[in-house]
Amino acid sequence: MALPDFLIAGVPKAGTTALHAALAGHPELFLPSVKEPKFFLSDGPPPARGGPGDVQTYQEHVWRQSDYEALFDPAPAGALLGEATPFYLHDLGAHARIKALIPSARLILLLRDPVDRAHSNWTHLWNAGLEPEADFLTACRAEPRRVAAGWAAFWHYVGLGRYGEQVRHLYEHFPREQVLLMRYKELKDQPAAALDRVCEFLGVAAGVLTAVPRENVNSHVVEHNGVNQVLRFLLRGGGTFGHRFPVPLRLAARGPLLTLLHRRRGARPVTTPEERAALMPLFADDIALLTEVTGESYDDWLSIDRHAAAT
């Protein structure tokens, strides 16, 4: 039975794609080319409805165990197996599923300042033409309605960043020695040292990996104008009109539509002090809980007037 020995289990927009790409280059490790198989996010088929683009994403879930195990079939003999699905930390039900199937699994968590993580999350979906709200704070305030309507976890800009609750629950299922907590800025600012730390945690040779590929980086924000508003409408399914077409046809149209959407790019997005001040009350109690649960200080995340690069 081919099941992973380790999981990059959290969190979205905190360097998990880059870490996956880096670890795939280690000769003692094997990670499948399919990133985010999302196997442990459900006990069966994924939901059939959700927010803009969610239905297509749900169709990509590897939810059958036989298909999940097949992802690791190409691994060379003796390699440690791993995969990256950064939603596993947020999905509390996934903790029990992982424990039941692979109780000895090692779990790697990359944590990022929750406000900056949320902003990067919003920018990602905005650039993809899927986020209907042009204002970051308005999108965050819409979260309760979106959750109630069944929008997938990637739309939970605030909820995904309440790590204290999630880590506490994870520690109820796994001993701390099986969990590696890292910060996004470690991987960003000191990649070689961060990769050595991961390798030592996994029990493979350190000093092999020295660089982290630039993956999935929000280096720009797409302009908000009339033409792009129409393109976004079409990328989100085009309302009743768009849903007349089968999913494969809608997916085939995404590439050309995204090319048009990205024809002109605005400045690199940053989190403003005003946005931090508005959102920090939603995270302050959870940051305190994270400190209590882990014994590590995250007080720097509480600062309002600072640049996002310090996350």
Side-chain angles (χ1 to χ4, degrees):
M1 180 172 66
L3 287 169
D5 302 290
F6 68 93
L7 302 169
I8 302 173
V11 297
K13 308 309 298 180
T16 58
T17 299
L19 180 59
H20 175 279
L23 294 182
H26 196 293
E28 297 177 63
L29 303 176
F30 175 82
L31 293 91
S33 57
V34 176
K35 182 181 178 286
E36 298 190 22
K38 303 181 177 71
F39 174 71
F40 292 104
L41 295 183
S42 65
D43 290 312
R49 67 184 185 92
D54 284 347
V55 174
Q56 291 94 318
T57 300
Y58 286 144
Q59 293 181 340
E60 299 169 359
H61 281 216
V62 182
W63 59 271
R64 295 180 179 87
Q65 186 169 334
S66 58
D67 293 336
Y68 185 61
E69 293 179 15
L71 295 177
F72 304 98
D73 285 347
L80 281 184
L81 312 180
E83 63 108 329
T85 298
F87 297 98
Y88 288 156
L89 177 63
H90 172 261
D91 189 319
L92 303 187
H95 302 174
R97 297 183 192 105
I98 297 168
K99 180 70 172 181
L101 195 60
I102 44 174
S104 62
R106 292 185 174 270
L107 308 174
I108 301 168
L109 308 179
L110 284 164
L111 305 182
R112 182 180 184 180
D113 174 289
V115 176
D116 292 333
R117 192 223 65 81
H119 190 271
S120 180
N121 196 157
W122 170 84
T123 303
H124 178 108
L125 288 169
W126 174 257
N127 284 350
L130 298 174
E131 171 55 63
E133 293 293 347
D135 178 72
F136 169 54
L137 291 179
T138 301
C140 289
R141 291 170 183 137
E143 183 167 324
R145 296 193 303 275
R146 294 176 174 188
V147 173
W151 290 29
F154 201 32
W155 301 93
H156 302 187
Y157 301 148
V158 174
L160 280 168
R162 291 186 59 85
Y163 316 129
E165 300 169 350
Q166 300 160 25
V167 172
R168 179 175 62 183
H169 189 271
L170 185 69
Y171 282 162
E172 294 173 359
H173 291 77
F174 289 90
R176 294 177 183 236
E177 58 267 25
Q178 286 180 227
V179 180
L180 176 63
L181 281 172
M182 296 182 65
R183 288 195 184 208
Y184 165 76
K185 69 178 182 179
E186 291 182 60
L187 196 65
K188 177 175 174 289
D189 296 342
Q190 297 178 307
L195 291 171
D196 279 350
R197 189 178 171 202
V198 173
C199 290
E200 290 165 1
F201 172 69
L202 296 177
V204 297
V208 176
L209 305 174
T210 59
V212 176
R214 287 179 60 82
E215 299 279 346
N216 211 22
V217 175
N218 289 323
S219 59
H220 67 280
V221 64
V222 175
E223 291 183 346
H224 182 48
N225 55 45
V227 173
N228 285 352
Q229 189 172 354
V230 174
L231 292 172
R232 293 177 190 284
F233 174 74
L234 294 172
L235 283 163
R236 294 197 301 271
T240 303
F241 175 76
H243 289 291
R244 293 175 185 171
F245 298 101
V247 169
L249 184 58
R250 295 204 302 273
L251 291 177
R254 284 192 58 81
L257 289 173
L258 282 171
T259 298
L260 287 172
L261 183 66
H262 292 182
R263 69 198 182 283
R264 294 179 62 188
R265 298 178 175 185
R268 183 182 184 276
V270 295
T271 312
T272 67
E274 293 75 19
E275 289 168 338
R276 293 191 61 80
L279 291 183
M280 189 49 65
L282 302 179
F283 295 111
D285 65 321
D286 188 76
I287 292 173
L289 176 61
L290 182 64
T291 296
E292 177 186 339
V293 168
T294 65
E296 300 180 21
S297 175
Y298 294 88
D299 287 350
D300 55 302
W301 287 351
L302 296 171
S303 176
I304 299 300
D305 190 11
R306 62 171 183 75
H307 193 275
T311 62

